[in-house]
Amino acid sequence: MTRPLDFSRLRRTSLYSRTSKVSFRGFGVPPRRGMSFARFLDGLPDYLAAKDFRAVVSAIARARRRGAPVLLGIGAHFIKVGLSPLLLQGIRDGVFTAVAMNGAGVIHDVELALAGKTSEDVAAHLPDGSFGMAGETAQFIHGALADGVPAGLGFGASVGKAIASSKVRYRKKSLLGEAHRLGVPVTVHVAVGADIVHMHPEADGATIGEGSLRDFRTFCSLVAGLSGGVYVNVGSAVILPEVFLKAVSVARNLGHPLSRITTVNMDFLRQYRPDVNVVTRPTQGGGKGYHLIGPHEILFPLLMAAIAERRG
């Protein structure tokens, strides 16, 4: 028969001398009516996601104060939930030094510039084959590429220049158009066959591919200068995390160690490629990676407001 252990012989410690990870010093401050945003931020708990949020804000503000770049990669959903005005303000204020996006991001930005609306009802239009068949969207994008790529421009600059120099009604609200006018690079990374404009007769694979490859090489140059800076991936689960990882490899292969970088993934859930290709692998040789999980339409405005407060 097994004899019970004698619990009276346990060696116990003192709560008062024990090291603890949580104390009142890190607790949150209850918000009150009329509280300033700065006080609200200071009142967040100093633990877990709130602590990481503060660290990301500090990293971005510190990078810009030192003249290091802050690169932003966005999925198309970023535009669909109404965040272009905040990003444009961030570009004008010098928070973001360059932007990368996928091909769908271009489609939404162009449709907004042309008509002030975007995002069709896929389920309603797919049964009769009308999904993705808006002629104006495809004609504008492929026309821009047909003009810009032979002239030596990349995908993003071709479309941005076309919007900025056009008479379309909402050109001044276009992310691509305004970034081009302000001289801020926007690179576009396309998966051929993934975007609705690839279904149209104007689509030219050589032009699409050459424009996107030029943008990849531009993005590699931007990443090569990222030491001391920050890369933020918002809402791209596959394309941009893969592109970023390859750009990091190219930069290090050519002698840019990227030993002091901060990487951030912002999305409404945590996914494999952003986790390993943005947050974990690129920072193993030095630096720090963060996940900020939450809806874009809430989390990104909070980030921008916090950065504005931190930068004064």
Side-chain angles (χ1 to χ4, degrees), residues 162-308:
I163 294 172
S165 61
S166 73
K167 300 294 185 182
V168 298
R169 182 175 181 181
Y170 301 102
R171 63 187 180 278
K172 292 185 179 180
K173 294 185 176 183
S174 161
L175 175 57
L176 284 158
E178 282 296 282
H180 181 78
R181 187 181 66 81
L182 295 168
V184 174
V186 177
T187 60
V188 177
H189 307 275
V190 175
V192 175
D195 300 326
I196 59 171
V197 294
H198 301 159
M199 302 187 292
H200 291 253
E202 295 88 355
D204 180 79
T207 305
I208 294 168
E210 185 169 351
S212 191
L213 182 60
R214 283 181 188 163
D215 278 3
F216 171 68
R217 289 173 174 166
T218 296
F219 185 69
C220 287
S221 296
L222 294 166
V223 170
L226 198 55
S227 286
V230 182
Y231 178 69
V232 184
N233 177 74
V234 185
S236 179
V238 179
I239 296 293
L240 290 179
E242 291 292 351
V243 170
F244 179 65
L245 190 72
K246 278 66 172 186
V248 168
S249 184
V250 168
R252 286 178 172 159
N253 183 279
L254 295 175
H256 304 275
L258 306 185
S259 57
R260 295 179 297 106
I261 62 172
T262 300
T263 61
V264 186
N265 177 57
M266 296 174 60
D267 212 336
F268 61 90
L269 53 84
R270 190 164 171 168
Q271 303 193 65
Y272 171 76
R273 282 180 176 83
D275 188 0
V276 298
N277 290 0
V278 175
V279 175
T280 307
R281 289 170 176 164
T283 59
Q284 284 176 339
K288 179 68 175 175
Y290 297 93
H291 283 286
L292 298 179
I293 304 303
H296 308 328
E297 60 272 24
I298 297 174
L299 193 54
F300 191 77
L302 286 174
L303 179 70
M304 296 305 296
I307 292 169

Side-chain angles (χ1 to χ4, degrees), residues 106-162:
V106 175
I107 291 166
H108 293 308
D109 188 65
V110 166
E111 290 190 341
L112 286 165
L114 293 176
K117 60 180 183 177
T118 189
S119 189
E120 63 185 305
D121 188 333
V122 178
H125 296 155
L126 189 61
D128 66 359
S130 62
F131 162 62
M133 294 300 171
E136 296 88 350
T137 306
Q139 288 162 5
F140 189 95
I141 292 173
H142 293 308
L145 295 176
D147 290 339
V149 173
L153 299 179
F155 198 120
S158 296
V159 180
K161 181 181 179 182

